[in-house]
Amino acid sequence: MPTAKSKIKYIAFYNDKELAKDESRSINLAVTNKVNYVCSVLTRNGYDVEIVSPCWSESKSGFYKGKVYDIPGGARLRMFASFGGMGRAAKKAKQLFAALQLLLYLLLRTKKHEKVLVYHSLALMIPVGIARAVKKLKVVLEVEEIYTTVWKNK
């Protein structure tokens, strides 16, 4: 059981449809439900949870500042800045911008040997990997089935 002040960062492409409604951030209901469940278990067990979400806006235009929200259950959600745009180049630019912000956040706002929980996504591999090497982070990967692989094996 952790001490009352044990903190953990949970990195996931998370968004709650009630938050940042005007920003059209990407959302996946299955991920939202899973992250909410894991956060509730962690907070019940004495952890101070900060969800760090590099999800980007899917809007056609605009710039959206990063924000921190208190979410039900006692966790906090940190969302990075994002911008709108359509087309392949804009999507790649948004992904790169999100990855760069995540890398900088991990390098500047985590302590050496800190525990970081990462919900599976290949998009997180490079920034988390670099931060892990530099800061010697203790990364816990939450990896589940790759549904396309399961489907192909039937």
Side-chain angles (χ1 to χ4, degrees):
M1 189 81 122
T3 63
K5 297 188 181 203
S6 293
K7 296 181 181 185
I8 191 162
K9 290 179 176 59
Y10 189 4
I11 303 169
F13 283 98
Y14 175 89
N15 188 16
D16 185 305
K17 65 181 178 178
E18 296 303 315
L19 303 174
K21 292 182 224 179
D22 57 328
E23 298 179 14
S24 299
R25 299 271 182 158
S26 56
I27 187 168
N28 180 311
L29 187 57
V31 172
T32 300
N33 290 337
K34 178 69 182 268
V35 171
N36 286 339
Y37 171 73
V38 171
C39 284
S40 71
V41 171
L42 290 169
T43 54
R44 254 193 337 261
N45 284 290
Y47 283 96
D48 181 14
V49 181
E50 180 179 19
I51 302 168
V52 180
S53 177
C55 71
W56 49 82
S57 175
E58 293 180 339
S59 67
K60 294 180 181 179
S61 63
F63 181 81
Y64 308 100
K65 294 180 180 180
K67 296 178 184 169
V68 178
Y69 299 95
D70 289 322
I71 59 174
R76 279 178 319 287
L77 169 62
R78 176 176 304 276
M79 296 180 79
F80 297 128
S82 185
F83 54 90
M86 301 302 289
R88 185 181 277 171
K91 184 175 181 181
K92 290 292 181 191
K94 289 190 268 189
Q95 292 170 344
L96 181 61
F97 187 54
L100 183 61
Q101 289 177 94
L102 177 59
L103 175 60
L104 290 173
Y105 176 81
L106 290 172
L107 291 175
L108 300 174
R109 304 291 291 277
T110 57
K111 297 176 182 152
K112 198 169 194 171
H113 302 290
E114 186 173 339
K115 291 178 189 169
V116 177
L117 180 61
V118 180
Y119 189 77
H120 73 285
S121 174
L122 292 176
L124 300 173
M125 189 170 64
I126 293 173
V128 170
I130 293 170
R132 180 178 175 228
V134 172
K135 299 287 279 205
K136 308 292 187 232
L137 298 175
K138 295 182 181 187
V139 176
V140 178
L141 296 174
E142 185 180 349
V143 180
E144 297 169 8
E145 299 90 4
I146 301 172
Y147 294 105
T148 56
T149 304
V150 173
W151 186 257
K152 287 178 187 176
N153 289 333
K154 284 189 168 192

